[in-house]
């Protein structure tokens, strides 16, 4: 897997969304791992893609009412099958972290890459997801050498008390063993 000069992964589905902007300083030095499923706990639905593309029908499910007008994105989404969809080039700032702090620095979106795994805090992730995440991570480290083991975190680490993902079901040791 390779990242081109535009910040796009080769050989993955590109679904360019409009929910991003320029990085204020162009730096990429942090990887943030998230989880998402819409509706919560349901997989293989079209709704995560709809959310990131700004096209979610907030009447499609009762839990979607809070999503009305929400503009969020991730650089990539990894489905339970291992399929990788890229929404935002890594060179751009995706809107995934919200209010966040890492090592005393606020606004993690400015300098991070956000990868969403289709999942929940409590359900095990699939081997296909770990394999895909491993490949994406290796490509990110090759392109952005400031990303290292200590600069790969969960959403819970940069927004404690507000976010819990990727949750206890994410096997950090297994993931790090694959990558490093």
């Amino acid at each position: 897997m390779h990242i081109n000069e535009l910040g796009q992964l080769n050989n993955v589905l590109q679904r360019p969304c409009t929910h991003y902007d320029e990085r204020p300083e162009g730096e990429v030095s942090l990887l943030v791992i998230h989880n998402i499923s819409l509706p919560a706990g349901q997989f293989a639905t079209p709704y995560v893609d709809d959310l990131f593309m700004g096209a979610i029908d907030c009447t499609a499910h009762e839990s979607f009412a809070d999503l009305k007008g929400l503009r969020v994105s991730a650089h990539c989404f990894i489905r339970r099958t291992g399929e990788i969809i890229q929404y935002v080039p890594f060179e751009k700032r995706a809107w995934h972290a919200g209010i966040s702090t890492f090592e005393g620095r606020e606004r993690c979106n400015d300098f991070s890459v956000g990868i969403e795994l289709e999942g929940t805090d409590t359900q095990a992730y699939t081997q296909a997801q770990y394999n895909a995440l491993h490949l994406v991570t290796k490509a990110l480290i090759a392109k952005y050498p400031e990303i290292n083991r200590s600069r790969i975190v969960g959403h819970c680490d940069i927004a404690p008390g507000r976010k819990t993902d990727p949750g206890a079901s994410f096997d950090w040791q297994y993931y790090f063993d694959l990558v490093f």
Side-chain angles (χ1 to χ4, degrees), residues 81-173:
T81 61
E83 177 189 20
I84 302 166
I85 303 168
Q86 186 168 14
Y87 294 94
V88 177
F90 299 123
E91 297 293 318
K92 305 296 182 184
R93 176 172 55 187
W95 304 336
H96 60 93
I99 298 167
S100 53
T101 305
F102 180 75
E103 294 183 344
R105 186 171 173 192
E106 295 182 348
R107 297 190 345 234
C108 293
N109 285 340
D110 290 353
F111 56 96
S112 67
V113 166
I115 306 293
E116 293 273 2
L117 300 174
E118 185 175 37
T120 70
D121 288 4
T122 58
Q123 292 179 268
Y125 295 93
T126 68
Q127 184 63 53
Q129 286 179 298
Y130 283 109
N131 293 344
L133 181 60
H134 160 247
L135 294 175
V136 173
T137 303
K138 293 296 265 186
L140 286 166
I141 291 169
K143 177 82 172 173
Y144 308 106
E146 288 189 37
I147 296 175
N148 58 47
R149 185 179 174 123
S150 68
R151 297 188 67 83
I152 300 173
V153 298
H155 199 187
C156 57
D157 299 310
I158 61 168
R162 189 174 70 80
K163 294 295 181 177
T164 58
D165 55 317
S169 61
F170 187 76
D171 188 338
W172 284 101
Q173 187 60 56

